[in-house]
Amino acid sequence: RISGETHPSVADIRAEMGHCFVSCGLDNSAITSYSEALRISKEVYGEDHISLANLYINLANVYYNQDQDLKAAKLYRECVRLFRTNPELLNDDLSDALKSIGNILEQNLDFNGALQHYLKAYKIEAKIFDKLHPNVVDSAESLMRVNSLYYETDKDFLGIYN
């Protein structure tokens, strides 16, 4: 039964409230609103519906901004899982989620994992956009930066710079 507090419009309103809270710097209120929107959407559409992807991204972004990388990565991965169950929806939201995971891995010095996620994002964007599109350029720059860090760290480990 879809009515009252479980109506999809209520989830949409809660998500919009989350955006407003983020804009005002009220992260905890944003988390509450996004979580409520996610709960309602799961109830209405089920656990595997693609409409949940953006809610996962929004919630993950708030956690990421609070330096709660583990919570953020879990939510970004859930978003990626949803896109993989709907491969016809190859889009820049998926590449954004992959880049966000790559960014978290890079910050935690997992350069190999970061490279894998940045490369996946780059391949998606290269299919969607022109090669000079800012998203494609950004992904290429991330790949080059992390590739450089990966090999520099590896060389340091081997004692080449000592």
Side-chain angles (χ1 to χ4, degrees):
R1 176 179 131 116
I2 300 175
S3 64
E5 285 294 313
T6 60
H7 193 278
S9 294
V10 174
D12 293 342
I13 292 168
R14 296 294 288 182
E16 288 302 319
M17 288 172 61
H19 298 325
C20 292
F21 287 133
V22 166
S23 296
C24 294
L26 301 170
D27 288 351
N28 291 332
S29 296
I31 288 170
T32 301
S33 289
Y34 288 141
S35 296
E36 184 64 14
L38 187 60
R39 183 194 64 76
I40 294 167
S41 295
K42 283 181 180 180
E43 191 174 315
V44 172
Y45 301 114
E47 297 278 331
D48 295 327
H49 197 273
I50 194 63
S51 67
L52 304 177
N54 283 331
L55 292 171
Y56 281 119
I57 288 173
N58 292 334
L59 194 52
N61 287 340
V62 176
Y63 282 122
Y64 179 76
N65 289 335
Q66 290 186 330
D67 294 324
Q68 295 187 48
D69 292 352
L70 294 177
K71 286 183 180 180
K74 180 180 177 183
L75 293 165
Y76 287 129
R77 284 190 174 99
E78 188 60 22
C79 174
V80 170
R81 182 193 68 79
L82 288 174
F83 279 111
R84 286 190 178 141
T85 62
N86 296 277
E88 71 280 2
L89 298 174
L90 192 66
N91 67 36
D92 59 334
D93 286 335
L94 172 57
S95 66
D96 286 345
L98 289 165
K99 285 192 285 191
S100 294
I101 295 169
N103 191 28
I104 290 169
L105 293 170
E106 179 182 351
Q107 289 180 358
N108 288 290
L109 305 180
D110 180 356
F111 299 129
N112 187 38
L115 279 172
Q116 291 175 21
H117 284 82
Y118 287 143
L119 182 59
K120 289 175 187 176
Y122 176 81
K123 287 180 179 179
I124 291 168
E125 291 168 346
K127 289 179 184 177
I128 299 171
F129 303 116
D130 178 84
K131 67 181 180 179
L132 296 178
H133 188 279
N135 289 20
V136 178
V137 172
D138 179 61
S139 289
E141 289 173 350
S142 294
L143 280 167
M144 289 186 288
R145 180 187 64 251
V146 174
N147 190 52
S148 172
L149 290 169
Y150 180 72
Y151 287 107
E152 185 176 303
T153 302
D154 191 38
K155 289 176 186 172
D156 282 344
F157 178 75
L158 295 174
I160 291 174
Y161 292 116
N162 293 336

